[in-house]
């Protein structure tokens, strides 16, 4: 086997203030592709964004909750969404309109738009959201520009995706140490520039680091597994229906006989019949003293 399974590995340059990560996605990416028939040009964008989300979620060291990256555009591709949880479960979806011309660039597909990054702590804790205008010719460039502004840390990304794999390499320059190796950042970056998309998709982390940095002292940490995972549930859909309100839900029920809600990420559909809807909007059960007795 010459490709690694779905995993993410961090690494550190021992003699320079630079850290990095490499992610490789196989089954998790194919799980996304199996659920929607995405046109070819869109696949590259979504796979690249998925690799980037895993890299960024790992860098943020989320304990709980998740990181959501969204690209909203005015071009034929109007939306790309990837969510990655702290334990590296990823899911992704996209919206597009009409035929997408082969060989189109990210800018041609997305057009003007904005990049939205959301950190959802999930435990009732705070939700952080950052929104910036899209800048850059590729998904990697768009993210680099965002990182430079928000994190104030120079971060470089190399991303690639095809119909089988998605992969990403990230390098981040940490604050300088006195007497450090001043040439390290440009040297390490220039070597990473030589990596091809084919290499990113085919090589394991040890192979890639050997190919690029066999003359540097690099510490490679243990691989963390990455997997496809969707957090949707019947309970969550019921909660959503409750928020929409009984008037609107009843109207749909009357028109269509039942309510069907399908998850945009995993395509799982949840059907609610009239009885189910009644139950959702029923007043909370009141326990009578009679029932408590036995
Ligand atoms: Zn789902």
């Amino acid at each position: 086997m010459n490709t690694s399974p779905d995993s993410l590995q961090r690494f550190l340059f021992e003699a320079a203030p630079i850290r990095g990560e490499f992610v490789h996605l196989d089954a998790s990416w194919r799980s996304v592709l199996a659920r929607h028939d995405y046109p070819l040009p869109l696949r590259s964008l979504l796979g690249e964004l998925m690799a980037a989300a895993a890299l960024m979620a790992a860098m943020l060291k989320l304990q709980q909750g998740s990181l959501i990256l969204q690209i909203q555009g005015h071009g034929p591709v109007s939306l790309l969404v990837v969510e990655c949880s702290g334990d590296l479960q990823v899911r992704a979806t996209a919206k597009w309109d009409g035929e997408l011309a082969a060989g189109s660039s990210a800018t041609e597909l997305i057009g003007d738009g904005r990049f939205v990054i959301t950190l959802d702590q999930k435990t009732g804790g705070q939700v952080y959201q950052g929104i910036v205008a899209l800048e850059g010719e590729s998904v990697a460039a768009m993210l680099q520009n965002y990182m430079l502004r928000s994190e104030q840390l120079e971060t470089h990304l190399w991303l690639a995706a095809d119909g089988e794999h998605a992969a990403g390499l990230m390098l981040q320059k940490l604050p300088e140490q006195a007497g450090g190796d001043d040439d390290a950042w440009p040297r390490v970056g220039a070597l990473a520039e030589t990596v091809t998309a084919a290499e990113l998709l085919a090589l394991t982390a040890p192979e890639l680091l050997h190919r690029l940095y066999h003359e540097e002292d690099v510490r490679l940490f243990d691989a963390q597994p990455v997997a496809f995972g969707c957090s949707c549930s019947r309970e969550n859909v019921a909660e959503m229906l409750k928020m929409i309100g009984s008037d609107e839900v009843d109207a749909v029920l009357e028109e269509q006989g039942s309510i069907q809600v399908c998850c945009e990420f995993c395509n799982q559909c949840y059907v609610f019949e009239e009885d189910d809807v009644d139950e959702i909007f029923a007043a909370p059960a009141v326990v009578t003293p009679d029932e408590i007795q036995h």
Side-chain angles (χ1 to χ4, degrees):
M1 209 170 106
N2 56 8
T3 54
S4 58
D6 296 63
S7 64
L8 184 140
Q9 270 180 283
R10 304 163 186 276
F11 55 91
L12 202 61
F13 288 80
E14 299 283 13
I18 300 170
R19 65 177 174 183
E21 290 173 1
F22 178 67
V23 69
H24 184 98
L25 308 171
D26 282 320
S28 55
W29 173 225
R30 287 198 292 267
S31 292
V32 170
L33 294 177
R35 281 166 173 81
H36 292 284
D37 194 10
Y38 295 116
L40 217 55
L42 177 55
R43 282 187 199 175
S44 314
L45 295 184
L46 193 60
E48 288 179 14
L49 194 65
M50 192 154 133
L55 292 170
M56 287 174 76
M59 187 196 70
L60 292 166
K61 299 192 175 89
L62 300 173
Q63 297 298 318
Q64 290 162 317
S66 59
L67 171 77
I68 303 152
L69 301 183
Q70 265 187 70
I71 291 177
Q72 303 169 349
H74 293 113
V77 174
S78 54
L79 185 68
L80 298 159
V81 187
V82 178
E83 180 168 351
C84 183
S85 67
D87 58 356
L88 302 184
Q89 295 223 350
V90 279
R91 58 180 192 167
T93 190
K95 286 199 173 89
W96 76 100
D97 209 16
E99 295 267 315
L100 305 182
S104 305
S105 70
T107 328
E108 283 164 343
L109 292 170
I110 299 163
D112 284 342
R114 55 187 202 162
F115 176 62
V116 182
I117 180 165
T118 310
L119 257 174
D120 185 352
Q121 306 284 6
K122 300 272 186 195
T123 47
Q126 79 234 58
V127 174
Y128 163 84
Q129 193 163 67
I131 302 175
V132 294
L134 283 182
E135 249 180 78
E137 295 289 310
S138 64
V139 172
M142 289 167 189
L143 288 167
Q144 270 165 212
N145 285 326
Y146 173 80
M147 296 290 286
L148 191 58
R149 286 192 195 181
S150 64
E151 290 271 320
Q152 321 264 302
L153 286 176
E154 235 180 294
T155 307
H156 280 189
L157 284 157
W158 292 266
L159 305 168
D162 61 16
E164 296 283 309
H165 322 281
L169 170 69
M170 185 175 81
L171 292 174
Q172 194 165 57
K173 187 183 181 193
L174 299 169
E176 293 282 349
Q177 293 152 356
D181 178 356
D182 291 341
D183 300 332
W185 178 247
R187 183 178 70 241
V188 163
L191 286 167
E193 279 301 330
T194 67
V195 80
T196 64
E199 284 175 321
L200 273 183
L201 294 173
L203 298 179
T204 63
E207 286 165 351
L208 184 74
L209 292 178
H210 179 77
R211 144 87 174 80
L212 294 174
Y213 302 123
H214 58 274
E215 287 180 359
E216 309 276 341
D217 192 3
V218 181
R219 194 197 320 173
L220 182 62
F221 295 92
D222 288 343
Q224 297 169 255
V226 184
F228 176 82
C230 194
S231 52
C232 69
S233 67
R234 193 171 170 86
E235 290 70 37
N236 286 348
V237 177
E239 275 306 307
M240 188 195 76
L241 293 176
K242 218 178 212 173
M243 270 160 41
I244 291 169
S246 64
D247 288 355
E248 211 161 311
V249 172
D250 283 346
V252 178
L253 202 56
E254 197 148 306
E255 195 187 292
Q256 297 175 3
S258 66
I259 303 222
Q260 179 172 296
V261 179
C262 298
C263 174
E264 287 176 3
F265 288 97
C266 71
N267 248 350
Q268 164 88 39
C269 290
Y270 300 93
V271 178
F272 292 80
E273 306 291 349
E274 202 175 333
D275 288 354
D276 303 319
V277 173
D278 288 348
E279 205 176 300
I280 291 171
F281 291 105
V286 177
V287 179
T288 66
D290 283 359
E291 284 171 307
I292 296 169
Q293 277 166 17
H294 56 87

